[in-house]
Amino acid sequence: MTVHAQQLEFLSKILLSLPEKWHGLEDVETRYRQRYLDLIANPETRETFVTRARIIASLRRQLEARGFLEVETPMMQPVYGGAAARPFVTHHNTLDVDLYLRIAPELYLKRMVVGGIDRGSEINRNFRNEGISTQHNPEFTMLEFYQAYTDYEGLMDLSEELLRQVAIDATGGTAVEFNGHTLDFSTLRRLTMREAVQEYWPDAAKPSMEDISNPEWLARHSDKGSPGEALGDIFERVAERHLIQPTIIYEYPVELSPLSKQSVDNPAMVDRFEIYAAGMEIGNAYTELNDPQEQRRRFEMQLEMKQRGDEEAHQMDEDYVRALCYAMPPTGGEGIGIDRLTMLLTGNRSIRDVILFPQLRPEGAIGLARTLRALEAEPAGEAEPAVGLEG
RNA sequence: GACUCGGUAGCUCAGCCGGUAGAGCAUCUGACUUUUAAUCAGAGGGUCGCGGGUUCGAGCCCCGCCCGAGUCACCA
């Protein structure tokens, strides 16, 4: 084919050479630091972010169809809460107050429920001032949704429906390849935390369910201060990494769950579950504690833990307790980590591969000024090809 | 924070026993005119992550540091 060009217009300058086409850009540091090059050179990177958008759109569509109102709550909070994590601190000059970047939107979304918005959701960033790993970025995206007049069992069913459909919308089916495993999102297996400890106990001599409820047995197998914390500790060490297929783990110890409602038949446990897949926690849900007096006691328990040196213990949130005093209906609430879910549905093993611009250590001087000056110093005839070719 | 691995041209990488820094692609120039990474010829392109040390001589050996990845710890 021959093109008879009558005019040629340059749209933009390109001053640095692009990565090679055949191998693409493989250096992971460059891929993260200069994501624009990664997107240009590696089509599969672009595809990951297209899929990420489909995942979020699917969740939005499904929640909207069920009557959830999408809202936005503060990212800058005078009191941080809703999770156990160290926060980032910033300062507002005019008000002269320190504010925390939120570690979770939970307490505001439940204030919303108190106000009569019975179904509400939020998809946005949380910030946690903690380690960076293949599963942790300091800012990450969380879907949280709250539904009045349901409980954690209702949320188990809802979670199953949401995840099955989001897998279909993102990948075309419910079977997803991840790290050598085929994950089946058509159903969620349900196990109690104690059942999981028993099932994945490493020795042939498995503990009985009575053992796993026995404070002495728990104390023997963990150095944590309370039976509940010990159970959580043992579960994480024994079972968590084996939870490859999407699984619901339920019945959590009350010590680990200051915002969850206690089980009717066992006050040591709360009506809470987490969703695991590929050995990762991707969701967390519970029947919300809606008794203001009990909530105040739980916060006080957290304050004691803080005084004993637990940096991640919950702060007292007086206004939240005040809100509960106006009555929060029985409510179920859930959070799903969008980044980790995207990892699973796109086959990426690092959270950095599903966050467009992940957090990295500062790069230091780039030294581009000299390069640009050198290019400018070149003779105009070489640097600027003729424009306006006549055919 | 600990351990392991890595950092050489724009990109992907090689570099032996310590002896003049290489290839392919990309870029530029010329030729060619058959689109599906890869036609031919030629040219330009390097603070071998940074700093010290050993040595006649260090990309290579030693020490320190920086950056990254992975594993572990942490992240209930």
Side-chain angles (χ1 to χ4, degrees):
Chain A
M1 186 175 76
T2 302
V3 175
H4 181 77
Q6 294 191 311
Q7 195 183 343
L8 183 61
E9 183 184 356
F10 287 91
L11 299 178
S12 185
K13 293 179 178 180
I14 177 166
L15 298 180
L16 298 173
S17 36
L18 293 169
E20 182 204 1
K21 266 192 260 176
W22 179 238
H23 292 90
L25 178 64
E26 297 192 0
D27 182 80
V28 288
E29 184 171 357
T30 309
R31 287 184 47 225
Y32 296 151
R33 285 199 193 281
Q34 298 178 263
R35 182 69 88 185
Y36 40 92
L37 292 181
D38 188 27
L39 287 165
I40 291 168
N42 300 321
E44 60 276 17
T45 298
R46 184 192 185 91
E47 194 50 44
T48 290
F49 292 102
V50 170
T51 302
R52 182 180 171 116
R54 276 209 297 272
I55 289 166
I56 293 170
S58 169
L59 291 168
R60 277 215 165 93
R61 197 181 318 117
Q62 294 189 70
L63 287 167
E64 191 184 2
R66 288 172 172 80
F68 285 82
L69 183 73
E70 183 169 347
V71 300
E72 292 173 90
T73 62
M75 299 239 184
M76 301 165 79
Q77 305 178 344
V79 178
Y80 62 90
R86 282 159 32 207
F88 290 93
V89 189
T90 187
H91 187 78
H92 191 285
N93 290 336
T94 303
L95 297 177
D96 192 25
V97 289
D98 283 338
L99 294 168
Y100 302 98
L101 301 188
R102 72 179 188 191
I103 58 176
E106 173 160 349
L107 299 182
Y108 284 94
L109 288 167
K110 288 194 288 199
R111 287 174 170 95
M112 169 196 76
V113 175
V114 169
I117 296 180
D118 284 351
R119 295 185 179 204
S121 71
E122 178 164 13
I123 300 177
N124 222 319
R125 223 67 64 80
N126 290 345
F127 306 85
R128 297 188 185 175
N129 202 341
E130 287 171 349
I132 294 177
S133 77
T134 48
Q135 293 172 36
H136 300 85
N137 194 64
E139 53 180 306
F140 62 100
T141 301
M142 182 90 108
L143 161 67
E144 289 207 10
F145 52 94
Y146 289 80
Q147 177 178 345
Y149 308 107
T150 189
D151 59 13
Y152 78 132
E153 289 181 320
L155 291 176
M156 288 185 194
D157 296 338
L158 177 54
S159 300
E160 202 165 63
E161 291 169 26
L162 290 175
L163 289 177
R164 182 195 304 128
Q165 189 60 46
V166 78
I168 291 169
D169 290 341
T171 71
T174 56
V176 176
E177 292 300 316
F178 184 83
N179 196 17
H181 298 282
T182 302
L183 307 182
D184 177 5
F185 281 94
S186 61
T187 56
L188 298 175
R189 192 182 174 207
R190 301 180 189 189
L191 280 178
T192 67
M193 182 178 277
R194 290 184 299 159
E195 286 167 349
V197 167
Q198 186 181 55
E199 172 161 341
Y200 295 104
W201 192 257
D203 306 330
K206 291 181 187 292
S208 68
M209 293 303 286
E210 287 69 34
D211 287 335
I212 304 172
S213 306
N214 182 343
E216 288 174 25
W217 185 91
L218 291 166
R220 238 180 298 134
H221 291 90
S222 171
D223 55 8
K224 298 291 180 187
S226 67
E229 289 168 288
L231 175 58
D233 175 47
I234 294 165
F235 164 76
E236 282 180 18
R237 282 185 287 119
V238 168
E240 184 170 345
R241 68 175 176 278
H242 298 293
L243 299 173
I244 303 301
Q245 289 302 322
T247 304
I248 282 175
I249 298 293
Y250 63 104
E251 284 186 17
Y252 273 66
V254 65
E255 294 94 324
L256 305 179
S257 316
L259 304 165
S260 311
K261 183 176 264 183
Q262 279 155 301
S263 307
V264 179
D265 52 355
N266 183 358
M269 305 303 262
V270 294
D271 288 343
R272 173 183 178 186
F273 68 88
E274 291 193 347
I275 305 168
Y276 288 86
M280 282 193 295
E281 178 195 337
I282 60 170
N284 178 23
Y286 35 86
T287 307
E288 303 298 341
L289 174 58
N290 62 344
D291 176 339
Q293 288 155 314
E294 172 64 13
Q295 183 64 73
R296 167 162 274 281
R297 280 194 291 276
R298 299 278 192 91
F299 277 146
E300 281 164 356
M301 190 159 69
Q302 292 287 313
L303 289 181
E304 285 168 26
M305 289 165 67
K306 202 174 197 80
Q307 273 166 359
R308 289 202 305 266
D310 184 348
E311 282 187 78
E312 299 189 339
H314 229 284
Q315 287 188 307
M316 169 66 72
D317 191 332
E318 287 272 352
D319 176 66
Y320 175 65
V321 175
R322 179 171 64 183
L324 293 184
C325 289
Y326 291 96
M328 180 167 77
T331 298
E334 177 162 345
I336 293 178
I338 297 296
D339 310 279
R340 289 180 181 178
L341 181 60
T342 303
M343 288 168 64
L344 296 175
L345 297 180
T346 60
N348 283 296
R349 281 153 67 181
S350 171
I351 199 169
R352 290 178 160 175
D353 292 318
V354 301
I355 292 175
L356 206 41
F357 299 101
Q359 197 63 49
L360 298 174
R361 216 175 283 268
E363 187 179 3
I366 296 172
L368 198 56
R370 209 183 52 183
T371 307
L372 293 182
R373 264 200 306 275
L375 287 169
E376 218 144 20
E378 278 184 17
E382 288 179 26
E384 307 235 18
V387 180
L389 283 178
E390 294 294 331

